[in-house]
Amino acid sequence: MSTTNPPPPPPKLKTRILTIPPSSPLGSWSSPNSLQTWTLPPTPLIPASLTLAATALTTSTASSFSTPVAFPTETVYGLGADATSSTAVKGIYTAKGRPSDNPLIVHVSDLSMLSTLSTIPEIYHELISKFWPGPLTILLPVPTSGQLLAPEVTAGLTTFGARMPDSPLARALIQLVGKPLAAPSANASTRPSPTKAVHVLEDLEGKIELILDGGDCAVGVESTVVDGLCNPPVVLRPGGVGIEEIRQVKGWEGVVKGYKDRSEVGEGHKPRAPGMKYKHYSPRARVVLFEGHKPVNVGKELEGGGQKKVGVIRTGEWEGLVGETEGRIESEEGGFAVRQGSLRDEEGKELATVLDVDLGQDVKGVAHGLFAALRELDRLGADIIFVEGVSDGDDIAAAVMNRLRKAASEIRP
Ligand code: TXA
Ligand code: MG
């Protein structure tokens, strides 16, 4: 009987975080009010870490084994590789453990780079001038001949997603590589997207070599994905640009939502039963989402559950369970604090430890801190996390609720 040996596991890599200081020169637009050309600073002024990352992205494509580089964008950290190289792009799927039928977004530094990949239909012109560079991904046709993108980027589709990030660091990296970068969010599949360099390290240590650290991502949720190649145009994923803003643009007045995401506890919908979902954006702790802004009775929720540590994420109406003076674990620099306290019954007996996060009432602030809060509560050992949902709206609230509904094991009114 003959046996075939399984392929050897990929080598465990040493993962390094390289910091790019906030004041580093990263380039400028060649002419103001035009997104045509992003011009890099003179070579000696370019931060050495950035050059190192660009070299890694360029040279790794020549070998048969290739590892992507994580870099910050204004939405979330991305895991980038040369979008024109199959070897490089395959490295992304390997590092992330991502199914290869899910296409990747192609990031460009400027319009002149995008013009090497496709022509931009008229429907997108005003959208681009309004929202680029920024958290908006547009679907473009893959040209029938002279196609430069590796087939692994598009997962066999006739369209590809393109985005020009607002982060000058991201655009400088892409320009330095001189190639568009395919980049999904730099989390391990099923985990919350990373908004800090350490989040990438948590998920991908040993699987990639370099993480560029450009600080916290400003937006905190991924880009809005739109398809203007069909009529009416469609929003495929809510994100950093609000649907209400897109609707203001000529040709986009009738834009429809092409993602399944309505309140699951409204009329005719029973609360989602526990354990019946495919996980996405999920911390290890079980997430219970409350959509209705009604106060939650944590003590009652925990009855018989045996959970020892309870995370609570508040976004406006819920009252704090932990006094201001009790243990403060994280400083407010990261956008939020985690306060630790005890939940007690009427006799004063401790029922559970509470880790309390207030993300504030401003929905942009909630988006900014959401993934970081889920990850931080995981890190601190929460067994269960109760989250107060935000009101559904056509602004960034749509993205917040979309991600929360996917992360939750259970949804309550
Ligand atoms: O903000 C973002 O978009 C981040 C940063 C790193 O730029 N990237 C990101 O990539 O979120 P990823 O791979 O996690 O999500 C890409 C989304 C997926 O929902 C994918 O299905 C969709 O875009 N997508 C990409 N190309 C597509 C295509 N040709 N047709 C339909 N959907 C597409
Ligand atoms: Mg993702």
Side-chain angles (χ1 to χ4, degrees), residues 96 98 185 187 193 222 237 280-281:
K96 252 190 91 115
R98 175 177 170 121
S185 46
N187 52 292
S193 297
E222 303 86 342
R237 176 178 74 180
H280 204 52
Y281 304 111

Side-chain angles (χ1 to χ4, degrees), residues 75 78 98 102-103 105 107 139 157 159 163 184-185 222-223 237:
T75 56
R98 175 177 170 121
N102 195 357
I105 293 173
H107 297 69
L139 291 200
L157 299 173
T159 58
R163 168 161 128 76
S185 46
E222 303 86 342
S223 62
R237 176 178 74 180

Side-chain angles (χ1 to χ4, degrees), residues 71-79 92 96 98 101-107 134-140 142 153-155 157-163 165 182-187 193 221-227 236-237 239-240 280-281 403 406:
F71 65 98
T73 79
E74 74 282 11
T75 56
V76 300
Y77 274 73
L79 188 61
I92 297 177
K96 252 190 91 115
R98 175 177 170 121
D101 58 353
N102 195 357
L104 304 173
I105 293 173
V106 176
H107 297 69
L136 178 75
T137 296
I138 61 174
L139 291 200
L140 292 173
V142 172
V153 172
T154 56
L157 299 173
T158 56
T159 58
F160 70 99
R163 168 161 128 76
S185 46
N187 52 292
S193 297
V221 291
E222 303 86 342
S223 62
T224 305
V225 181
V226 296
D227 183 356
L236 294 173
R237 176 178 74 180
H280 204 52
Y281 304 111
R403 307 308 188 265
K406 286 180 196 261

